[in-house]
Amino acid sequence: MFLPMLAALALSSPTVCIDPGHPSEVGNGTKGKLITELDAVWLVALELKPLLEAKGVKVVLTKAKKDEFVANRRRAEIANESKADLLLRLHCDAASGSGLATYYPSEVGTAKDGKKGPSEAVLRRSTAAAKAFHPVVIERLKGTLPDYGLKTDKQTLIGSQQGALTGSIYSEVPVLLVELCVLTNPKDEAVIASEAGRKKLAEALAAGTLAALAVKRG
Ligand SMILES: [Zn+2]
């Protein structure tokens, strides 16, 4: 007897690993005058989780409590262990600009311990996910936060040194890092420090995530 149902089951219910950034080996992150990065990304993650679950997505968080220390390597391993279809890393920027930026790994990097990654397949799938995700998020945020760009890991400090971010190097699943806003910009901070702004961000991220999940496996 053939079991076509099994194939259908395997395709249902995608898994997303949401990674609220920090505390990690790089510290607690940045802070504004009203809210810290640690608080902001944790609150947005908690807002995003039920939105995805309502769409039939299984959600795994990389930590159980806001202040739980999880190294960036471990965060990727949690996504790998959960066989996530996407690892979505949430951070806030400290910079001179404004808006939301999405980063994806564009080449194989080498971590401090010599580990190389991600694989060519993960690079390809992360690129496709980023290109589906970012425009949808930006469209949803019109009037709330500007577009700060779709960028590669190489455009970050650590990425420029290693070739890719540590969380990308260890990821065996498609990975995106979102700098939700520039926390050192008062206009941006006002958005993420407000409940309404975080809700708007979570809704935009949910729409972008669903767009990324809809991309066929390359
Ligand atoms: Zn951060």
Side-chain angles (χ1 to χ4, degrees), residues 64-139:
K65 291 185 314 233
K66 185 190 78 182
D67 295 312
E68 185 181 341
F69 178 96
V70 186
N72 282 326
R73 170 184 177 165
R74 180 65 198 139
R75 290 167 189 265
E77 288 169 347
I78 290 167
N80 299 343
E81 286 160 15
S82 63
K83 299 199 167 25
D85 296 278
L86 183 69
L87 166 57
L88 190 64
R89 307 180 63 200
L90 304 181
H91 285 260
C92 294
D93 213 350
S96 54
S98 168
L100 179 142
T102 304
Y103 292 84
Y104 63 96
S106 61
E107 65 178 65
V108 177
T110 308
K112 280 200 188 94
D113 59 7
K115 163 84 177 173
K116 287 188 191 301
S119 69
E120 291 294 338
V122 167
L123 290 174
R124 204 167 54 237
R125 291 177 60 201
S126 299
T127 305
K131 288 179 176 168
F133 173 91
H134 186 75
V136 169
V137 173
I138 294 305
E139 178 64 31

Side-chain angles (χ1 to χ4, degrees), residues 150-163:
L150 175 57
K151 307 177 189 187
T152 69
D153 283 12
K154 295 266 284 179
Q155 289 168 271
T156 67
L157 178 65
I158 299 207
S160 70
Q161 295 161 352
Q162 299 188 150

